[in-house]
Amino acid sequence: GQEVRLRSRIELTVREAMPPVAQGDPIQIEHILLNLLSNAGKYASGEAGIQIHVGSAGGYAFCRIVNDGRIPPEEKAYLFDRYFRGSNSRHASGIGIGLYMARSLARLQAGDVRLVDEECGDQVAFELSLPLAATQTELWEKTA
């Protein structure tokens, strides 16, 4: 797989006794998560690190990746546009297709990637959601 080097501390929280099992292509899901983690590492503004929250709700598994920082309100509508780079991206490498690709790959699998900022205050949070696998047994049968 692709290697992402992060200088930030990462904290993982799983909200259920057993982590939810999502339905989807593992390689594409890896690409989505690597993009979101890479962005969190690039754009974090301080020492708070990166938080990852995993859970399920409404028939979907979700992975929310949170870092400290702010996105200017006038840029939020363009975050998922192809080739859009925000005003805080001057110091970071990239061409502005990461979030566009992450969302496209998620939507091809009946999921989504969205900005979750209404409840985050001085943090930036992106959430990947994918349909839950029907059963754990079904998952094991597909990989056997």
Side-chain angles (χ1 to χ4, degrees), residues 51-119:
Q51 300 165 30
I52 302 172
H53 303 279
V54 177
S56 64
Y60 287 84
F62 67 84
C63 180
R64 182 178 293 183
I65 298 175
V66 183
N67 60 276
D68 62 330
R70 282 200 170 270
I71 297 172
E74 64 275 8
E75 294 182 0
K76 290 178 183 180
Y78 305 103
L79 289 175
F80 295 98
D81 289 357
R82 192 177 347 183
Y83 306 121
F84 176 77
R85 298 202 68 213
S87 58
N88 67 344
S89 66
R90 291 184 196 102
H91 70 284
S93 63
I95 60 172
I97 61 169
L99 288 174
Y100 168 81
M101 289 300 299
R103 177 177 266 180
S104 297
L105 290 172
R107 287 181 172 179
L108 284 170
Q109 300 177 85
D112 203 1
V113 173
R114 65 186 186 98
L115 173 67
V116 183
D117 66 339
E118 61 275 2
E119 59 202 61

Side-chain angles (χ1 to χ4, degrees), residues 2-144:
Q2 179 182 344
E3 183 177 325
V4 173
R5 293 178 189 239
L6 298 171
R7 294 178 298 234
S8 300
R9 178 179 53 85
I10 298 177
E11 178 183 316
L12 173 67
T13 303
V14 179
R15 296 185 178 182
E16 287 122 18
M18 285 290 293
V21 178
Q23 179 177 301
D25 182 308
I27 293 170
Q28 301 309 324
I29 295 169
E30 179 182 0
H31 287 301
I32 296 166
L33 291 173
L34 286 172
N35 176 274
L36 297 177
L37 281 168
S38 175
N39 278 354
K42 281 189 225 180
Y43 298 111
S45 64
E47 300 296 321
I50 298 168
Q51 300 165 30
I52 302 172
H53 303 279
V54 177
S56 64
Y60 287 84
F62 67 84
C63 180
R64 182 178 293 183
I65 298 175
V66 183
N67 60 276
D68 62 330
R70 282 200 170 270
I71 297 172
E74 64 275 8
E75 294 182 0
K76 290 178 183 180
Y78 305 103
L79 289 175
F80 295 98
D81 289 357
R82 192 177 347 183
Y83 306 121
F84 176 77
R85 298 202 68 213
S87 58
N88 67 344
S89 66
R90 291 184 196 102
H91 70 284
S93 63
I95 60 172
I97 61 169
L99 288 174
Y100 168 81
M101 289 300 299
R103 177 177 266 180
S104 297
L105 290 172
R107 287 181 172 179
L108 284 170
Q109 300 177 85
D112 203 1
V113 173
R114 65 186 186 98
L115 173 67
V116 183
D117 66 339
E118 61 275 2
E119 59 202 61
C120 292
D122 287 338
Q123 295 181 316
V124 175
F126 287 94
E127 183 176 277
L128 166 64
S129 60
L130 292 165
L132 286 169
T135 64
Q136 188 79 24
T137 304
E138 178 183 303
L139 175 74
W140 289 111
E141 288 171 359
K142 286 182 180 180
T143 58

